[in-house]
């Protein structure tokens, strides 16, 4: 039996796990996929929002602003790629200029620092590729860009190092409370017992909540299509460029990513299917049309991939973070849609604090607050790199040509806590396969490394767990010999 | 810093032929840098035959063709380093390389020959809607898995794109027991060689659907079905023409892109048409002493032409080194243009004083032309008018210019290659 079970190893669950790992408490995270960061956390805009969007006084606003504040220190502690590049909400219709003031006032009320309204000239000076129709913008210098995968992975790794257990490929199918008040979680991998449960199940948070409460909630998967563009054009804009928001959200943004690509998206389409993260032709076309409203000469020929993510949308567009009324010792983190990534550190802090009080937790003496990321040899001088290769020759072998990722980095990704077990696992940790050839060259080589390091037959190596095997069987005439 | 007369980036067919010809031209210190674990490049996974008909007057497999050149490299004792990635080329020809064995190091090169080849256009760049499951491969990746690693990606296959690798893989997968259900091609014609359509599709009753594209990919974890649809003149899918194929594999053969990341970093000027460097008659780029050949320069149809072109690059680099690392100055420079159906030419300038007695100008056409003429104009005067029964984008074309004809016209400014109906 665990003191706390967290359902879901996305960015919310992992943040709660890390916060709890400060205390003398046994924690287990149950994740239905084969890795952390498999749902909403892996497919979003990767923006650390400033906090002027959420309604004044809302929990969402509070979490956003607090999360943004915390991100700098967290990124330093956990070695997460992060930059405050600033954001602009661009107005292209004179009659809508008042809207910028409304956003500005809301931002000030929410506690966002350094907000400014820019004139058309100031806008164009900062971002020459803005639309010729730009009339003005709200500028938020505290907005940032982050690697969403590493944010999630780093918090989970750090939690694991501090004793939190993770169970992957483990899907919660039913939850019951026994007479002693102990939660029984039935999964495809047996039963798990806990005194407290945290529901961080993303688009499935309603399913999990509704297992224990009479007061049903509904989470609508709101799909967003994105296009990712080549690093060659990553400097098309420097700041994150938003349109003015609508009732469907913050609209289609154009932004550099922390790794130097350009991202365009998302659309917003409400679905019933919680697994419906397929892109659609309409979605991509819509996205391109909308992005061109605010940024000119978008080099859409330079798209290297498109993808879709599902936001966990709740009708009131508010985070639900509280102990469930009719299910004591069961805490929901539901409706965590944008700015969920930004808010994750704050949500972790809040839920960690709630459980600390409820369970009267004491702090560990030897909590490890820092995590060293996978070494990026591209930041080293030739001499330093030579030293490294002498010690660890695998750093001399480039596996992913597009992103210049060496075997050394891939080995680190596989062998560190909660290491990669699939192509996507390696990709999210190292960027191998994330470049312009989209893993055409490196996937057979990464498969070979996974096969060798994990002792798995090649047929069992997957793209991302489950039945996503890459190869089916040996060819005729081969007899199961080694690769 | 170590130094070599010529450093060749890439040990595939282009790099090998360039090395051999530079050695024959009398250059001693030559180094080939190859990122893979063996020489031969992509030919090593092309186990089908049909290579070398022009060069060796016989039909070889890819590895055999590569083997012929590897033997020459070994015989000439040309140095090469395997598992070596070139990280950077500077405008003053300092090559930064890295390997497990040698670490990261720099080489001062007298001349550099770019021979990095090309790569395939991935799914992402095609904006194909649908899920992103396992089971989607570029045709070349599947070719490597089947022919080198000995693994089958799947049993039921749909192929998008009719580039040569896709056609070859249609046959290869069939021979391995898979069912290739359809090859869909966005354009109204195939981008591959005619002989590959006959030998790889027709002979196996595999349907080729021209003016069709993939409009949906199903399967959350692994591909379960692919839907194709006919496209109109605007290349947009026509509603109501959708056909769904259950399958576990989608192969993509939708074009090749020269791999010029290093060239770009070095500041080499690129052609927007070929995505390869802009070169002169010596296959020299805008950076003196940096030459290019093979698929990094422009995508070829036959390896024989790669070898021929690379031979020229090797000779030019040798000449540059022997001249003390300088280009000859001055001379009569003529611009070469492609118009009216001809998409590009390699080279785009000719210095008559530097050219050989015969110069091959290679080009491709932008559409299918039947019973048309390949014409060459010296300024406004038509000097060549060759009838062709068929001209297709999938096949590379060439015209041969004679030095003495060009030398006869000291005022000649522009040579134009065009396709004419009559």
């Amino acid at each position: 039996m665990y003191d706390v079970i967290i359902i879901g190893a996305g960015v919310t669950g992992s943040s709660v796990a890390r916060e709890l790992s400060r205390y003398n408490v046994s924690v287990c995270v149950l994740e239905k996929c084969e890795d952390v960061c498999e749902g909403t956390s892996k497919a979003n805009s990767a923006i650390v929002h400033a906090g002027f969007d959420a309604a004044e006084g809302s929990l969402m606003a509070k979490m956003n602003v607090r999360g943004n504040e915390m991100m700098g220190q967290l990124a330093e502690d956990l070695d997460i790629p992060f930059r405050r590049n600033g954001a602009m909400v661009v107005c292209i219709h004179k009659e809508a200029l008042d809207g910028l003031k409304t956003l500005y006032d809301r931002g000030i009320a929410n506690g966002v620092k350094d907000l400014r309204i820019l004139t058309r000239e100031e806008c164009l000076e900062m971002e020459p590729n803005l639309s010729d129709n730009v009339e003005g913008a709200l500028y938020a210098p505290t907005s940032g860009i982050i690697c969403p995968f590493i944010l999630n992975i780093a918090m989970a790794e750090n939690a694991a190092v501090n004793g939190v257990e993770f169970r992957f490929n483990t899907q919660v199918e039913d939850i019951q409370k026994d007479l002693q008040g102990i939660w029984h979680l039935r999964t495809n991998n047996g039963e798990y017992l806990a005194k407290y449960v945290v529901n961080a199940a993303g688009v499935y948070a309603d399913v999990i909540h509704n297992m224990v409460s009479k007061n049903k909630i509904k989470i609508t998967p709101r799909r967003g299509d994105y296009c990712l563009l080549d690093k060659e054009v990553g400097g098309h804009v420097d700041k994150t460029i938003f349109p003015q928001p609508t009732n469907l959200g913050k609209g289609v943004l154009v932004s550099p990513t922390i790794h130097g690509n350009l991202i365009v998206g998302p659309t917003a389409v409400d679905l019933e299917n919680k697994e419906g993260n397929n892109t659609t032709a309409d979605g991509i076309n819509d996205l391109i049309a909308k992005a061109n409203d605010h940024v000119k000469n978008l080099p859409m020929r330079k798209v290297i991939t498109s993808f879709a993510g599902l936001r966990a949308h709740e009708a009131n567009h508010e985070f639900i973070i509280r102990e469930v009324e009719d299910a004591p010792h069961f805490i929901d983190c539901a409706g965590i849609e944008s700015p969920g990534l930004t808010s994750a550190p704050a949500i972790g802090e809040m839920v960690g604090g709630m459980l600390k009080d409820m369970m009267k937790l004491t702090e560990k003496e030897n909590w490890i607050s820092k995590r060293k990321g996978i070494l990026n040899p591209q930041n080293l001088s030739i001499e330093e790199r030579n030293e490294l290769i002498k010690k660890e020759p695998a750093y001399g072998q480039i596996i992913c040509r597009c992103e210049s990722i060496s075997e050394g980095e891939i080995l680190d990704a596989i062998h560190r806590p909660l290491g990669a077990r699939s192509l996507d696992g390696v990709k999210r940790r190292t960027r191998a396969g994330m470049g312009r050839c989209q893993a055409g060259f490196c996937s057979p080589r990464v498969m070979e490394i996974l096969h060798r390091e994990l002792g798995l037959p090649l047929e069992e190596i997957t793209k991302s767990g489950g039945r996503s095997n890459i190869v089916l069987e040996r060819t005729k005439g081969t007899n199961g010999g080694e690769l | 810093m170590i130094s070599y007369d010529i450093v060749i980036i890439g040990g595939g067919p282009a790099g090998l032929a360039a090395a051999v010809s530079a050695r024959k031209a009398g250059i001693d210190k030559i180094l080939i840098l190859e990122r893979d674990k063996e020489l031969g490049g992509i030919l090593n996974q092309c186990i089908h035959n049909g290579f070398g008909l022009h060069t060796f007057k016989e039909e070889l497999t890819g590895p055999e063709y590569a083997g012929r050149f590897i033997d020459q490299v070994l015989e000439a004792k040309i140095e090469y380093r395997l598992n070596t990635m070139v990280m950077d080329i500077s405008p003053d020809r300092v090559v930064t390389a890295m390997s497990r064995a040698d670490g990261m190091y720099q080489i001062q090169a007298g001349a550099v020959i770019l021979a990095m080849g090309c790569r395939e256009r991935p799914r992402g760049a095609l904006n194909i809607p649908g899920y992103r499951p396992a089971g989607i491969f570029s045709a070349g990746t599947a070719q490597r898995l089947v022919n080198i690693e000995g693994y089958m990606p799947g049993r039921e296959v749909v192929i998008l794109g009719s580039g040569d690798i896709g056609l070859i893989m249609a046959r290869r997968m069939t021979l391995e027991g898979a069912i290739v259900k359809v090859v869909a091609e966005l354009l109204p014609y195939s981008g591959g060689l005619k002989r590959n359509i006959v030998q790889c599709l027709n002979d196996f009753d595999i349907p080729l659907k021209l003016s069709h594209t993939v409009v949906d990919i199903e399967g959350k974890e692994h591909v379960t079905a692919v839907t194709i649809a006919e496209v109109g003149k605007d290349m947009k899918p026509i509603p109501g023409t959708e056909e769904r194929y259950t399958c576990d594999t989608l192969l993509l053969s939708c074009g090749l892109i020269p791999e010029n990341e290093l060239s770009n970093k070095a500041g080499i000027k690129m052609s927007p048409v070929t995505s390869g460097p802009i070169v002169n008659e010596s296959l020299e780029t805008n950076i003196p002493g940096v030459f290019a050949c093979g698929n990094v320069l422009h995508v070829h149809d036959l390896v024989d032409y790669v070898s021929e072109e690379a031979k020229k690059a090797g000779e030019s680099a040798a000449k540059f080194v022997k001249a003390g690392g300088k280009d000859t100055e001055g001379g009569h420079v003529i611009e070469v243009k492609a118009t009216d159906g001809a998409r590009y030419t390699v080279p785009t300038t000719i210095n008559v004083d530097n050219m050989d007695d015969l110069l091959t100008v290679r080009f491709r056409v932008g559409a299918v032309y039947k019973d048309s003429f390949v014409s060459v104009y010296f300024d406004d005067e038509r000097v060549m008018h060759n009838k062709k029964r068929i001209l297709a984008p999938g096949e590379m074309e060439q015209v041969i210019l004679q030095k003495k004809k060009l030398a006869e016209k000291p005022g000649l400014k522009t040579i134009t290659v065009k396709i004419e109906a009559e």
Side-chain angles (χ1 to χ4, degrees):
Chain A
M1 183 165 68
Y2 295 94
D3 293 327
V4 184
I5 280 180
I6 300 167
I7 303 171
V11 74
T12 304
S14 298
S15 178
V16 173
R18 176 174 187 259
E19 282 299 326
L20 286 176
S21 76
R22 294 170 186 270
Y23 307 112
N24 293 302
V25 59
S26 67
V27 182
C28 180
V29 181
L30 304 181
E31 168 56 51
K32 75 177 166 62
C33 296
E34 63 113 33
D35 197 355
V36 304
C37 196
E38 285 277 9
T40 302
S41 306
K42 78 172 175 186
N44 52 71
S45 312
I47 305 298
V48 175
H49 294 283
F52 49 77
D53 274 291
E56 191 184 335
S58 64
L59 180 60
M60 193 180 259
K62 193 174 148 199
M63 292 291 107
N64 184 342
V65 173
R66 175 69 186 139
N68 182 300
E69 265 171 21
M70 292 171 76
M71 205 60 87
Q73 186 63 45
L74 185 71
E76 211 176 298
D77 287 348
L78 300 185
D79 208 358
I80 303 162
F82 171 56
R83 173 165 83 93
R84 290 194 196 274
N85 64 322
M88 286 164 78
V89 180
V90 173
C91 170
I92 53 169
H93 300 292
K94 254 203 179 89
E95 61 276 17
L97 274 170
D98 286 351
L100 293 181
K101 182 72 171 67
T102 313
L103 271 187
Y104 174 88
D105 291 342
R106 196 191 298 159
I108 297 295
N110 288 348
V112 181
K113 295 197 180 89
D114 305 327
L115 286 175
R116 262 200 303 146
I117 290 185
L118 305 179
T119 63
R120 170 184 158 82
E121 289 68 31
E122 288 172 313
C123 289
L124 288 169
E125 194 175 320
M126 280 168 92
E127 290 290 351
N129 280 324
L130 285 185
S131 158
D132 294 334
N133 300 326
V134 58
E135 297 286 350
L138 174 67
Y139 174 49
T142 55
S143 181
I145 47 183
I146 196 162
C147 176
F149 317 121
I150 298 298
L151 171 62
N152 192 155
I153 288 164
M155 290 195 292
E157 264 181 29
N158 187 234
V161 165
N162 284 303
V164 173
E165 294 177 33
F166 284 77
R167 297 281 179 272
F168 295 106
N169 300 309
T170 302
Q171 180 166 359
V172 174
E173 291 163 348
D174 187 40
I175 305 173
Q176 298 290 337
K177 195 177 217 177
D178 69 18
L179 294 173
Q180 284 74 45
I182 303 297
W183 293 107
H184 292 237
L185 290 79
R186 183 165 58 78
T187 77
N188 56 325
N189 280 331
E191 195 177 57
Y192 287 80
L193 274 61
K195 293 175 190 157
Y196 290 77
V197 172
V198 176
N199 169 17
V203 290
Y204 289 93
D206 54 349
V207 177
I208 298 293
H209 167 99
N210 295 343
M211 287 176 185
V212 301
S213 173
K214 287 199 185 72
N215 309 317
K216 304 301 178 194
I217 63 171
K218 181 172 165 59
I219 301 295
T220 303
R222 178 173 282 181
R223 181 170 64 207
D225 289 15
Y226 289 90
C227 288
L228 191 72
L229 278 64
D230 197 294
K231 285 182 173 176
E232 215 179 291
V233 296
H236 196 73
V237 294
D238 176 62
K239 319 247 170 299
T240 302
I241 308 299
F242 292 98
Q244 289 179 278
T246 68
N247 55 356
L248 264 182
K250 291 186 271 288
V252 172
L253 62 84
V254 179
S255 180
T257 70
I258 189 67
H259 296 291
N261 296 90
L262 193 72
I263 191 168
V264 181
T267 53
V269 179
D270 287 348
L271 306 177
E272 285 301 318
N273 179 5
K274 289 182 190 287
E275 296 293 328
N277 63 343
N278 53 316
T279 58
T280 60
D282 289 348
I284 299 288
N285 292 338
D286 180 35
L287 163 66
I288 293 170
K290 283 184 176 148
N292 274 309
D293 287 347
H294 297 83
V295 177
K296 66 183 172 192
N297 305 326
L298 259 186
M300 295 309 290
R301 281 186 315 115
K302 296 286 178 186
V303 170
I304 63 168
T305 190
S306 45
F307 61 91
L310 298 175
R311 312 172 184 80
H313 176 67
E314 198 273 330
N316 296 316
H317 188 53
E318 172 65 310
F319 293 160
I320 302 172
I321 304 172
R322 58 177 177 239
E323 188 174 18
V324 175
E325 283 164 22
D326 56 348
H329 298 185
F330 187 103
I331 296 173
D332 271 337
C333 299
I336 312 297
E337 59 179 316
S338 180
L341 192 75
T342 314
S343 304
I347 296 172
E349 183 183 59
M350 175 177 166
V351 174
M354 285 163 68
L355 284 165
K356 181 192 176 200
D357 294 346
M358 289 161 83
M359 302 171 76
K360 312 258 181 302
L361 299 177
T362 55
E363 285 189 23
K364 280 180 192 160
E365 278 171 20
N366 53 354
W367 184 65
I368 301 161
S369 64
K370 290 189 172 25
R371 166 246 185 209
K372 196 82 205 94
I374 294 173
L375 177 72
N376 182 357
Q378 291 173 57
N379 296 334
L380 302 179
S381 68
I382 292 188
E383 292 72 28
E384 290 169 328
R385 208 150 173 182
N386 260 321
E387 277 308 302
L388 173 68
I389 297 169
K390 243 178 234 153
K391 264 192 286 173
E392 307 261 0
Y395 284 96
Q397 181 75 51
I398 294 290
I399 300 293
C400 165
R401 298 170 182 180
C402 302
E403 296 290 315
S404 268
I405 306 300
S406 71
E407 185 169 339
E409 292 149 83
I410 294 172
L411 292 177
D412 186 353
I414 294 170
H415 293 301
R416 60 177 39 230
L418 308 181
R421 299 182 63 81
S422 66
L423 290 187
D424 281 358
V426 168
K427 178 166 88 170
R428 285 194 290 269
R429 284 168 178 80
T430 66
R431 298 188 55 74
M434 223 175 259
R436 53 177 69 101
C437 97
Q438 289 286 299
F441 276 118
C442 67
S443 56
R445 290 164 178 86
V446 176
M447 285 166 68
E448 192 182 324
I449 296 170
L450 284 165
H451 155 75
R452 187 184 72 214
E453 298 298 319
L454 299 176
L456 288 172
L458 223 75
E459 294 93 322
E460 286 178 28
I461 304 294
T462 64
K463 179 176 182 286
S464 56
R467 288 175 292 106
S468 67
N469 310 59
I470 318 286
V471 293
L472 184 70
E473 61 198 354
R474 300 297 317 226
T475 49
K476 294 189 289 191
T478 48
N479 50 8
E482 277 302 291
L483 201 61
Chain B
M1 197 187 315
I2 52 173
S3 67
Y4 280 83
D5 290 332
I6 300 179
V7 173
I8 299 170
I9 321 288
L16 293 169
V20 169
S21 89
R23 171 57 52 86
K24 281 186 183 151
I27 300 298
D28 194 34
K29 288 197 75 183
I30 301 171
L31 177 65
I32 303 172
L33 299 175
E34 166 55 44
R35 55 192 167 194
D36 216 329
K37 60 188 176 203
E38 55 205 351
L39 293 173
I42 212 73
L43 285 175
N44 289 326
Q45 68 183 53
C46 301
I47 62 171
H48 52 283
N49 64 355
F51 299 91
L53 282 166
H54 296 255
T55 312
F56 300 110
K57 310 291 175 227
E58 58 182 309
E59 272 211 320
L60 304 174
T61 64
E64 283 172 334
Y65 186 96
R68 298 273 172 111
F69 281 92
I70 293 170
D71 287 347
Q72 293 179 54
V73 163
L74 297 179
E75 209 169 296
K77 298 201 166 51
I78 294 169
E79 284 182 64
Y80 60 90
R81 295 188 185 179
L82 302 177
N83 295 309
T84 298
M85 186 62 110
V86 173
M87 311 298 284
D88 189 56
I89 305 168
S90 77
D92 49 358
R93 302 189 301 276
V94 173
V95 175
T96 306
M98 186 172 83
S99 75
R100 193 186 280 265
D102 301 319
M104 196 176 217
Y105 55 97
Q106 295 190 310
I107 309 164
Q108 177 65 58
V112 171
I113 299 177
L114 306 173
M116 293 90 81
C118 60
R119 63 181 155 80
E120 299 176 282
R121 181 166 284 127
R123 182 241 173 130
L126 301 165
N127 268 337
I128 304 172
Y131 284 96
R132 304 166 73 227
I136 305 169
F137 302 86
S138 62
T141 305
Q143 189 178 42
R144 182 184 166 105
L145 287 171
V146 175
N147 292 350
I148 306 258
E149 323 287 3
Y151 284 90
M152 283 293 279
R155 288 253 144 247
E156 297 187 313
V157 185
V158 168
I159 300 179
L160 174 63
S162 58
D164 287 311
I165 313 172
L167 301 175
I168 295 285
M169 282 311 290
R171 175 174 66 184
R172 187 78 189 99
M173 296 290 281
T174 307
L175 293 174
E176 284 293 340
I179 299 162
V180 178
K181 298 195 163 176
V182 67
V183 176
E185 167 60 57
L186 177 71
L187 298 171
Y189 51 83
S190 164
L193 293 169
K194 178 76 183 161
R195 73 171 194 215
N196 282 336
I197 293 173
V198 174
Q199 294 170 8
C200 300
L201 299 187
N202 299 356
D203 288 359
F204 294 89
D205 293 328
I206 297 167
L208 170 62
K209 298 210 165 192
L210 299 173
S211 299
H212 278 70
T213 193
V214 172
V215 294
D216 195 23
I217 299 170
E218 293 173 53
K220 178 89 179 171
E221 295 180 329
H222 204 285
V223 175
T224 55
V226 161
T227 301
I228 69 169
E230 194 176 345
V231 297
K233 285 220 166 60
D234 60 353
M235 300 284 175
K236 297 257 187 298
I238 301 169
T241 63
E242 295 85 0
E243 292 171 80
R244 184 173 177 273
Y245 293 86
T246 56
C247 60
D248 58 11
T249 307
L250 172 64
L251 299 188
L252 305 171
S253 182
C254 303
L256 298 169
I257 306 163
E259 275 219 290
N260 275 298
E261 280 70 17
L262 286 169
S263 325
N264 279 321
K265 273 204 277 179
I268 289 170
K269 282 192 189 137
M270 292 291 152
S271 154
V273 184
T274 60
S275 301
I278 293 170
V279 294
N280 63 19
E281 77 297 323
S282 304
L283 303 178
E284 190 180 25
T285 67
N286 61 305
I287 298 186
V290 178
F291 301 81
C293 57
N295 284 345
V296 81
L297 178 55
H298 58 139
V299 174
H300 292 60
D301 54 348
L302 298 182
V303 71
D304 304 72
Y305 299 143
V306 168
S307 303
E308 202 180 299
E309 187 175 87
K311 177 170 174 282
K312 174 66 195 158
E315 289 163 0
S316 300
K319 192 171 156 191
F320 179 87
V321 169
K322 283 180 169 173
K326 274 201 203 95
D327 285 320
T328 43
E329 284 182 22
H332 175 201
V333 178
I334 301 166
E335 189 186 2
V336 188
K337 274 183 161 170
T339 64
D340 300 79
R343 289 182 61 230
Y344 70 87
T345 64
V346 168
T348 52
T349 57
I350 298 172
N351 185 332
V352 182
D353 301 26
N354 282 344
M355 76 184 277
D356 297 331
D357 292 340
L358 297 177
L359 174 76
T360 305
V361 174
R362 296 190 165 83
F363 67 96
R364 284 195 194 236
V365 295
V368 176
Y369 295 90
K370 286 187 179 156
D371 297 317
S372 299
F373 293 84
V374 172
S375 300
V376 177
Y377 284 74
F378 283 4
D379 290 331
D380 296 333
E381 179 195 355
R382 188 162 77 190
V383 296
M384 216 182 276
H385 193 53
N386 298 336
K387 176 140 189 186
K388 288 275 192 174
R389 208 179 55 73
I390 188 134
L391 289 160
E395 321 225 346
M396 205 156 77
E397 300 293 334
Q398 62 180 46
V399 291
I400 294 176
L401 302 177
Q402 296 180 40
K403 179 169 184 166
K404 64 171 193 231
K405 291 269 170 67
L406 270 62
E408 281 166 14
K409 296 190 182 301
L412 177 57
K413 285 202 173 71
T414 307
I415 295 175
T416 309
V417 178
K418 51 174 95 166
I419 310 305
E420 295 180 317
E422 47 189 54

